[in-house]
Amino acid sequence: MAHHGVPGVSIAVIDEGRICWAGGAGVVDRQRGTVVDEHTLFQAASMSKPVAAAAVLRAVEEGHFDLDAPVNDRLTSWRIPDNDLTRRTPVTLRHILSHTGGLTVWGFGGYPQGASLPTLPEVLSGAPPANSPPVFVDTLPGTRERYSGGGTTIAQLALQEAFGQPYEEILRQLVLQPLGMQASTFAQPLPEALADRAAAGHDVDGHPIAGLWHVYPEQAAAGLWTTASDYARFLIGLQRAYRGEPGALLRPETAQDMATVPTGGGSFGLGPKVIGRGRARRFQHGGSNAGYICGSSAFLDGSRGVVVLTNSDAGATLAEEIIIAVATVFGWPDYLRAPRPCRALTAADAGRYAGRYRLGAGAPFPTAEVGADGEGLWYRLGAQRPRRLLAESAERFFSPETLYDTVFRRDSGGRIRGFSVEDGERVILNGERMDDDG
């Protein structure tokens, strides 16, 4: 935590289908000095989306929606703008939950406390006081995966209009209460009675963000306040449903659908990512709000999992290191990579990879930077701290801080032109070089 500049972290570990350990470290913010414990609330950021998806799927089971019907048929206060793409293939809730709807707007920045908040139609239209662009379809639905918090917000509007209740109450009834997530809420702004239990968000330099945290009217996409233990209860609920246990949150066939990547998809099922190899096949999702970064992973076999919540924009590497440490201590099968040889790079060799790379559609950041120094290569996504890249070969690199490989591509002249980030044989991210050096 000191190395990465992260003030506070909360962790919950799932083993043999139960929470076997939970705790916290550090402080909610350096001004108050209150110690983080297992009851401290954090913003779950985009880890809100799988919870929101579970609510939609429960509503489908209850007959409120058809997953494969045009979602515009259920919207009244705002509708997805029609164009040639939507007339060919209307957007459905299945498209939205799997991020294959061709919808724009990757994520949301939130609003300072006390600021005027937009309504959902204003958010989706990009109209003041919304601080995000309008949501529309610019890629044929069902043809490829592209992450869209804008799409998740459409699902939020559909639920609110179908139930005629505030979103936080709908989610309490459909998901939080049935799973015993008593500490969690989708209320935005956070109720004053809960403020003393909340960890403040911090920037990459360790300073609390103005007002301590932002407010997210895009509740389904980014609005969950939770604890690591409560989020672990949600993951256990998905695991129980996937195994077909009696009284689970979802029917077995619904949970199986949730864990299936649809045609045109990449890594997302209906809500969470579904990744991993062999016995490590798992639900996974991370999150990044202003001042908060978090991660989660839960094996489909129902036995293992982990939740890590941090109150810092610098928390990504720490969260990944903690997850890898949990996997090591608990002996997660097929999860950790076998040791591999490293080859040394000369300064001239390392310099050939250095440059800025434009990331593909759906990436969490628009660009990545690869740099070279006396120790070799490093890479950085957005404003995150640099991470070391080690060479296994002239093309394949890996980081000791993640489980993914970075594979560089050359043109016919041998110059580095791009890279792919790979999980086993599956490509999860592409980057194209933005300069002409190499």
Side-chain angles (χ1 to χ4, degrees):
M1 292 169 66
H3 174 77
H4 295 294
V6 177
V9 62
S10 184
I11 308 164
V13 179
I14 301 166
D15 193 50
E16 297 182 355
R18 62 183 180 84
I19 300 173
C20 71
W21 185 88
V27 294
V28 298
D29 70 60
R30 293 193 173 105
Q31 295 176 347
R32 288 179 288 174
T34 305
V35 174
V36 172
D37 61 25
E38 64 178 294
H39 306 293
T40 303
L41 289 169
F42 289 74
Q43 287 191 357
S46 287
M47 279 168 40
S48 307
K49 292 180 175 71
V51 185
V56 171
L57 293 173
R58 284 211 70 194
V60 169
E61 289 184 346
E62 294 175 2
H64 295 281
F65 298 115
D66 181 339
L67 265 180
D68 297 304
V71 70
N72 263 357
D73 291 351
R74 301 303 310 270
L75 300 174
T76 56
S77 61
W78 179 91
R79 291 167 57 85
I80 299 170
D82 285 328
N83 59 29
D84 290 342
L85 299 171
T86 62
R87 283 187 282 272
R88 286 175 60 190
T89 305
V91 177
T92 68
L93 284 171
R94 187 182 300 277
H95 289 141
I96 287 172
L97 299 187
S98 61
H99 297 283
T100 58
L103 290 154
T104 60
V105 183
W106 180 86
F108 301 99
Y111 297 81
Q113 292 197 57
S116 298
L117 299 179
T119 64
L120 285 190
E122 287 171 338
V123 169
L124 293 167
S125 299
N131 61 10
S132 53
V135 178
F136 59 92
V137 171
D138 66 356
T139 301
L140 185 66
T143 58
R144 68 184 177 102
E145 180 182 289
R146 185 177 64 187
Y147 192 80
S148 174
T152 305
T153 306
I154 295 171
Q156 176 183 337
L157 181 63
L159 266 183
Q160 288 185 200
E161 293 190 344
F163 283 77
Q165 295 177 288
Y167 187 76
E168 60 266 28
E169 178 61 21
I170 300 168
L171 268 288
R172 187 188 69 82
Q173 294 174 16
L174 293 181
V175 180
L176 305 185
Q177 188 174 57
L179 293 180
M181 298 172 66
Q182 300 298 328
S184 301
T185 181
F186 273 89
Q188 291 285 339
L190 181 69
E192 187 175 344
L194 299 177
D196 287 343
R197 293 173 47 200
H202 295 74
D203 63 23
V204 293
D205 296 317
H207 303 302
I209 65 174
L212 301 184
W213 52 75
H214 285 179
V215 179
Y216 289 84
E218 309 89 359
Q219 293 156 285
L224 176 63
W225 284 93
T226 192
T227 66
S229 293
D230 254 15
Y231 203 87
R233 292 183 179 96
F234 169 68
L235 295 179
I236 292 170
L238 294 188
Q239 291 172 321
R240 292 185 62 227
Y242 186 79
R243 292 199 308 268
E245 292 188 15
L249 181 72
L250 300 169
R251 297 169 187 163
E253 58 271 22
T254 303
Q256 293 281 346
D257 214 11
M258 198 175 194
T260 301
V261 175
T263 302
S267 60
F268 280 93
L270 300 184
K273 284 187 175 182
V274 184
I275 65 173
R277 301 166 300 281
R279 293 175 296 171
R281 190 78 172 155
R282 61 198 183 275
F283 292 116
Q284 181 171 302
H285 214 291
S288 177
N289 272 8
Y292 302 85
I293 288 182
C294 46
S296 66
S297 191
F299 283 50
L300 293 184
D301 69 8
S303 59
R304 302 169 178 86
V306 63
V307 179
V308 181
L309 308 175
T310 80
N311 60 345
S312 171
D313 286 334
T317 303
L318 176 67
E320 291 183 21
E321 290 177 355
I322 290 171
I323 292 172
I324 291 172
V326 169
T328 302
V329 170
F330 284 83
W332 286 4
D334 297 338
Y335 188 85
L336 299 172
R337 302 290 177 85
R340 61 178 78 181
C342 297
R343 58 179 290 178
L345 291 177
T346 67
D349 286 340
R352 293 188 176 96
Y353 302 87
R356 294 180 66 225
Y357 294 78
R358 181 178 294 105
L359 300 182
F365 302 97
T367 62
E369 181 182 5
V370 177
D373 57 26
E375 298 181 37
L377 280 186
W378 53 263
Y379 76 100
R380 175 165 50 207
L381 297 175
Q384 294 185 359
R385 296 180 185 273
R387 305 185 192 189
R388 185 61 54 190
L389 278 176
L390 304 178
E392 182 177 23
S393 69
E395 284 75 35
R396 184 171 293 272
F397 288 70
F398 63 96
S399 169
E401 300 168 349
T402 76
L403 296 174
Y404 306 122
D405 287 358
T406 299
V407 181
F408 286 93
R409 300 188 300 274
R410 299 175 185 268
D411 62 18
S412 58
R415 296 175 300 175
I416 301 296
R417 302 312 308 161
F419 67 80
S420 58
V421 177
E422 300 182 1
D423 176 28
E425 297 179 352
R426 188 170 56 82
V427 174
I428 61 175
L429 186 66
N430 280 297
E432 298 296 330
R433 196 162 194 164
M434 299 171 63
D435 54 38
D436 293 324
D437 298 329

